[in-house]
Amino acid sequence: MDKPLVAASACLLGTPVRSDGEACEFRPLSRQWSEHLRLLPFCPEVGIGLGTPRPHLRLSKVDGGIRLVQPRSGKDLTDAMVAWATRTSDDLAGLGVNGLVLKEGSPSCGVNRVEVHPSEEGRVVREGVGVFTMVFMALNPHIPVIEEGRLNDPNQAEHFLARVHFHHRWQIAGQEGWTAQRLMAFHDEHEIFLVARTADAKRKLGQSIATGFDDGLPAAEVALRYMIEAQDDLNVLPRRGRFAHAMERALSRMDPSLSSARREEIIRSIHAYRKGHLPRMAPLLLLDHLAGTNGSIPPWLGHLSNPVPAATGVLAEL
Ligand code: SF4
C-alpha cells in the first residue's frame, strides 16, 4: 500500500502483445514512474484468448450499434470482451487499483476518439471508446483513467498522478473501515488539494457527505459516492489561478509570527507563478521553507504538489 497501484495496457509496459506481435512501450510510465508506482499490466485481447500476432480488431457500426469485430474472419467479439472486461474490472478494483493508463486508439483499450468503421459505405468516424475501457469506466467511476498520449503533456501528467495519489490516500484512510469521522477528517485534510484543482468541490463534497449520512446511508457507501463525485469534479485540468489561490490560502495558515518581509517574498513568488513567470515549484519551495519543515512537507502543503512528477522531473517543467 506504500505506492499507488496503476494498471496499464500491457503493450505500453513493453510486453509484445499487439496484433502485429510488437510492443509500443511508453517509457515515462515503464521506466521512470515505475519507481514511484506499482504497475500492473493487462491485455484485454490476449485475455479473451486471441493469440499474438493476430488479425487486427476494430469497432464497426452494426444495426445501429457499435460492435468489436475481426474484419478478416467476420467474428463479432463484443460479448466475449464485455464478459472478460466485467470480470477483470471487478478483479482490478478488488486489487485496489488507483488508476489506469490505456493505449490510445485501440478498439479494446482506447478512452475516446477510437475509429468506428461503417458497416458498408460511409466514412470512418473517431467517436468510439474501447470496449474494455467502456465497461471499466461504467463499473468504476471512482478510479481515474487516461490514455498514454495525454501523459506527454506535463500538465495532464501531473494532474492525472495527483488524482491517482488522491485515490490512494482515500483508500488508505478507509482501510480500517469508513466512519463519518474518518471521512470528514479525510475531506478536511484535502481542503488545499481540492481548492487548488476545482472551483467548488470542497463545499459540494462536504454537502454530499452530510446528505449521505442524513439519509442514513452506510459510511462505506457515502465514502464511495464521495470519491465518484470528487473524481468527476477533478476530471478537468486545473488552471494556474487555482493553484495560486490555494497557495495564498496555505500561506494564510502559516505561523502569524512570520515576518512581513518573508510573507512579501512568497506573495511576490505566487504572483510571478500566476503570471507564468515562474514554475510552480518556486513558490512551493518557498512555502515549504517558510513552514520550517526541513524537507518534510506538511499534508496540507504537500497536497499542492505531487511527489511522483517532482521526482521524475515532470513538475520541474510546470
Ligand atoms: S488490447 Fe490493449 S493491451 Fe492489448 S495490445 Fe491492444 S492496446 Fe495493447
Side-chain angles (χ1 to χ4, degrees), residues 157-165 197 280-281 284 302-311 315:
E158 191 278 340
H159 186 52
F160 174 71
L161 289 167
R163 293 174 66 193
V164 165
H165 277 267
R197 288 167 176 84
R280 200 165 98 209
M281 279 310 286
L284 269 180
H303 297 162
L304 278 167
S305 69
N306 186 312
V308 173
L315 192 55

Side-chain angles (χ1 to χ4, degrees), residues 114-129:
V114 177
E115 286 186 352
V116 179
H117 294 251
S119 51
E120 291 172 6
E121 289 190 0
R123 59 190 185 85
V124 174
V125 288
R126 286 184 159 273
E127 60 180 24
V129 179

Side-chain angles (χ1 to χ4, degrees), residues 254 287-289 291-305:
M254 298 233 169
L287 274 169
D288 183 32
H289 181 65
T293 55
N294 297 323
S296 103
I297 297 178
W300 50 268
L301 180 53
H303 297 162
L304 278 167
S305 69

Side-chain angles (χ1 to χ4, degrees), residues 59 100 113 154 190:
L59 297 179
L100 255 66
R113 292 181 48 75
H190 289 81

Side-chain angles (χ1 to χ4, degrees), residues 8-12 15-19 22 24 42-47 52 54 57 81 102-110:
S9 298
C11 52
L12 295 176
T15 313
V17 286
R18 280 169 56 112
S19 56
E22 301 284 331
C24 47
F42 68 95
C43 174
E45 292 178 15
V46 170
T52 305
R54 57 185 172 275
L57 308 185
M81 183 60 84
L102 296 149
K103 177 77 190 95
E104 67 183 356
S106 157
S108 304
C109 290

Side-chain angles (χ1 to χ4, degrees), residues 235-255:
N235 197 17
V236 177
L237 203 57
R239 298 184 176 174
R240 276 174 183 272
R242 290 231 59 79
F243 279 109
H245 173 61
M247 287 184 208
E248 285 161 352
R249 251 167 115 144
L251 181 62
S252 72
R253 288 190 184 184
M254 298 233 169
D255 182 350

